[in-house]
Amino acid sequence: MSAQESRNNAVAAKKDADELINFMQYDLSDTLGTVGRLDMMGAINARIRKYHEDHPPEAGHLDALREQAVSLGQQGDILRDEGRLGPALKSYRDSLAIFEKLAKQDPGNAGWQRDLSVSYNKVGDVQSAQGDLAGALKSYRDSLAIFEKLAKQDPDSAGWQRDLSVSYNKVGDVQSAQGDLAGAVKSSRDSLAIRQKLAKQDPGNAGCQRDLSVSYNKVGDVQSAQGDLAGALKSYRDSLAIFEKLAKQDPGNAGWRRDLSVSYNKVGDLQSAQGDLAGALKSYRDSLAIRQKLAKQDPGNASWQRDLSVSYNKVGDVQSAQGDLAGALKSYRDSLAIFEKLAKQDPGNADWQADLAFSYWRTGTRMAGSDPQSKKDARTMVEKGRDILRELKTRTGLTRQQQQWLDSIEADLQKW
C-alpha cells in the first residue's frame, strides 16, 4: 500500500469515527435524556471526551474545538443532574472558556454567539443552585444581552425568539428569589408574550406548547408571591392543561411527565392556600405518583429524588392540616430521609441544604405535636434546621423564601 493510500485510509477512518462520535454526542444522548438514563449518558459522555483527548483538534479546526466544548457542557449537565454542583460548574466553565474563544474569533458567527449565551445560562443555573444569586444574575444577563442582539438581528427567527424567552425567564427567577417582584413580573411577561406568539404560529409544535406552559407557571409564581391567588390559579391551570395533553401524547417522555408533576404541585399549592384541602391532596398525590415512578426508573437522578422528597412534604402538609397527624409524620419522615441523603452527597449544594433545614423543621414540629414524649428530640431536630439556615445565611445569603423559613423556625423555638 502506498503512502498516499495509507493517508487516505486514515482520513476515511477518522471521518467514520467522527460521525460515530457525533451520533453518540447528539442523537443517542438526546434519546437517553428523554427516558432519563443518566448512567448510560455518563458512560457515553466519558467515551466521547476520551476520544477528544486522544484526538485533539488540529490548529484552526474550530468545528472540532466546538465539539469538545459541547462534550464538556454535556458532562456538566450529567453532573448537575447527579447533584454534583462543584464538578458541574467546573465542566461548564471549561466549556464556556472554549465558547468565549470561538465567539471572539468570529463575532459574526451567530451559531457560536448562541453557544456562548447558552453556556452563560448553564453556569448561572449552577450558581443559582449554590445560592450565589448575584453571580447567577450576572451570568443570565450576559446571556440575555447576546440573545437580545440575535433576536433583533433576525426578528423572524423563531429559534432566536425562543432563546430570548428562556433568558427572560431565568433572569426573572433570580429577581423573584431576590424579592424583586416588579422586575420578575416584567421578565416573566416578556417571556410569555414571545411564547404565546410562537405557539400561535405553530400550534402543532410540542416544544412551543411546553414553553408556553412553563411561562404560564412562571407568571403564576409571581402572581402568587404578590398575593393574586385567583390569577395564579388560572395561570397554573392553563399550564396544567397543556402538560396533561403533552404527557398523554408521549407517555414515555420522562421530561414531560416531570413537567406534569410540577404543574400538579403548583395547582395544589393554590388549592391549599384557598382552603380546598381535598383538592390539594388529590393534586399532590397525582404529582407524587408520577415522581415515585420516575425516581424508581432512575435512582441515580438526584433531581428526581429531590422532586420525590418535595412531593412527600406537600402531601404531609395537607395531611397535617386535615388532622391526619400519623400520616403527616410518615410523609415528612419519607421526605427527610431523601433530603439527608442528598445533602450528605453534596454539602456544597445550598438548595439541598435549605431543603434539609426545611424538612428538619417540618418533621420536628409534627413529631412534637404527635408525641409529647418526643418533644426534646423534636426540638433538637428543629434546631438543626435553624442552624443550617443560619450557616447558609453567613456563607451564601438566603433567598426571600429561605429567610421566611428561618424567621418562622426561630419564632417556633421561642414558643417551645
Side-chain angles (χ1 to χ4, degrees):
M1 182 182 296
S2 69
Q4 184 60 46
E5 287 177 326
S6 297
R7 282 194 295 271
N8 290 342
N9 288 340
V11 169
K14 177 69 164 54
K15 183 180 178 182
D16 289 342
D18 286 344
E19 288 177 355
L20 176 59
I21 289 296
N22 282 339
F23 168 75
M24 294 168 64
Q25 184 153 286
Y26 296 103
D27 302 272
L28 184 56
S29 292
D30 287 346
T31 300
L32 292 172
T34 298
V35 297
R37 290 302 306 270
L38 283 182
D39 52 346
M40 294 180 67
M41 290 169 66
I44 290 170
N45 179 260
R47 293 288 297 272
I48 292 170
R49 287 183 291 105
K50 180 69 165 57
Y51 178 80
H52 288 313
E53 290 171 6
D54 292 343
H55 303 84
E58 297 177 6
H61 195 171
L62 302 183
D63 287 338
L65 190 60
R66 179 190 180 273
E67 296 306 315
Q68 187 176 10
V70 170
S71 68
L72 288 167
Q74 289 177 336
Q75 180 189 35
D77 293 343
I78 294 165
L79 291 167
R80 179 200 62 205
D81 288 342
E82 289 176 342
R84 300 163 63 190
L85 294 185
L89 185 58
K90 182 182 183 307
S91 294
Y92 285 149
R93 287 195 186 280
D94 289 344
S95 177
L96 175 63
I98 296 174
F99 283 132
E100 286 178 325
K101 181 179 179 181
L102 290 173
K104 187 176 180 180
Q105 284 189 242
D106 187 358
N109 187 319
W112 290 352
Q113 292 295 322
R114 181 188 185 274
D115 287 339
L116 177 59
S117 188
V118 170
S119 201
Y120 279 130
N121 273 342
K122 289 179 181 291
V123 169
D125 290 345
V126 177
Q127 291 171 315
S128 178
Q130 289 179 323
D132 179 11
L133 297 184
L137 188 58
K138 182 183 183 306
S139 295
Y140 289 152
R141 282 189 163 145
D142 286 342
S143 173
L144 177 61
I146 297 173
F147 280 137
E148 285 179 326
K149 185 176 179 181
L150 291 174
K152 187 177 180 180
Q153 286 174 351
D154 187 0
D156 294 329
S157 170
W160 295 152
Q161 293 296 323
R162 193 261 174 189
D163 288 337
L164 179 59
S165 74
V166 171
S167 270
Y168 279 135
N169 270 341
K170 288 183 179 292
V171 168
D173 287 343
V174 178
Q175 289 171 319
S176 181
Q178 290 179 323
D180 178 13
L181 296 185
V185 166
K186 184 180 184 309
S187 296
S188 61
R189 290 201 178 276
D190 284 344
S191 175
L192 177 61
I194 294 172
R195 293 180 171 190
Q196 286 174 323
K197 183 178 178 180
L198 293 176
K200 187 177 181 180
Q201 287 175 348
D202 190 359
N205 187 313
C208 288
Q209 292 299 318
R210 181 198 180 268
D211 287 342
L212 178 58
S213 188
V214 169
S215 270
Y216 279 132
N217 271 341
K218 299 286 186 185
V219 170
D221 290 344
V222 181
Q223 289 172 314
S224 178
Q226 291 180 317
D228 179 11
L229 300 188
L233 185 56
K234 181 183 183 306
S235 295
Y236 290 152
R237 288 195 186 279
D238 287 342
S239 173
L240 177 62
I242 297 172
F243 279 137
E244 285 180 325
K245 184 177 179 181
L246 291 175
K248 187 176 181 181
Q249 286 176 350
D250 187 0
N253 189 312
W256 287 353
R257 282 187 289 146
R258 195 261 174 189
D259 289 336
L260 178 59
S261 77
V262 171
S263 266
Y264 278 133
N265 273 345
K266 287 182 180 292
V267 169
D269 290 343
L270 266 295
Q271 290 171 317
S272 179
Q274 293 179 327
D276 179 11
L277 297 183
L281 187 58
K282 181 182 184 307
S283 295
Y284 289 151
R285 282 186 164 149
D286 286 342
S287 174
L288 177 63
I290 295 171
R291 293 178 170 191
Q292 286 174 322
K293 192 171 182 180
L294 288 174
K296 185 177 181 181
Q297 180 178 315
D298 187 0
N301 189 317
S303 297
W304 290 353
Q305 293 296 322
R306 180 192 181 273
D307 285 343
L308 178 58
S309 189
V310 168
S311 275
Y312 279 130
N313 261 338
K314 289 183 180 290
V315 168
D317 287 344
V318 179
Q319 290 171 316
S320 180
Q322 290 179 324
D324 179 9
L325 303 187
L329 184 57
K330 181 183 183 306
S331 295
Y332 289 149
R333 281 179 165 154
D334 287 341
S335 174
L336 178 60
I338 297 172
F339 279 138
E340 285 182 323
K341 182 178 179 181
L342 291 176
K344 185 178 180 181
Q345 182 177 315
D346 185 1
N349 188 319
D351 282 350
W352 289 354
Q353 293 298 321
D355 287 338
L356 178 60
F358 179 87
S359 202
Y360 275 137
W361 173 37
R362 274 288 191 266
T363 307
T365 302
R366 181 47 48 221
M367 187 190 302
S370 302
D371 181 8
Q373 294 182 346
S374 300
K375 200 167 183 180
K376 184 177 179 182
D377 291 338
R379 181 184 175 91
T380 299
M381 188 173 287
V382 175
E383 287 173 341
K384 282 184 180 179
R386 177 201 61 193
D387 293 344
I388 290 171
L389 289 175
R390 282 180 174 177
E391 193 274 332
L392 276 180
K393 186 173 183 177
T394 301
R395 179 161 60 91
T396 64
L398 300 178
T399 67
R400 180 172 53 88
Q401 183 183 58
Q402 290 166 359
Q403 183 60 55
Q404 290 172 349
W405 293 347
L406 179 57
D407 293 342
S408 296
I409 290 174
E410 289 177 336
D412 285 351
L413 287 171
Q414 287 179 357
K415 299 174 189 173
W416 226 294

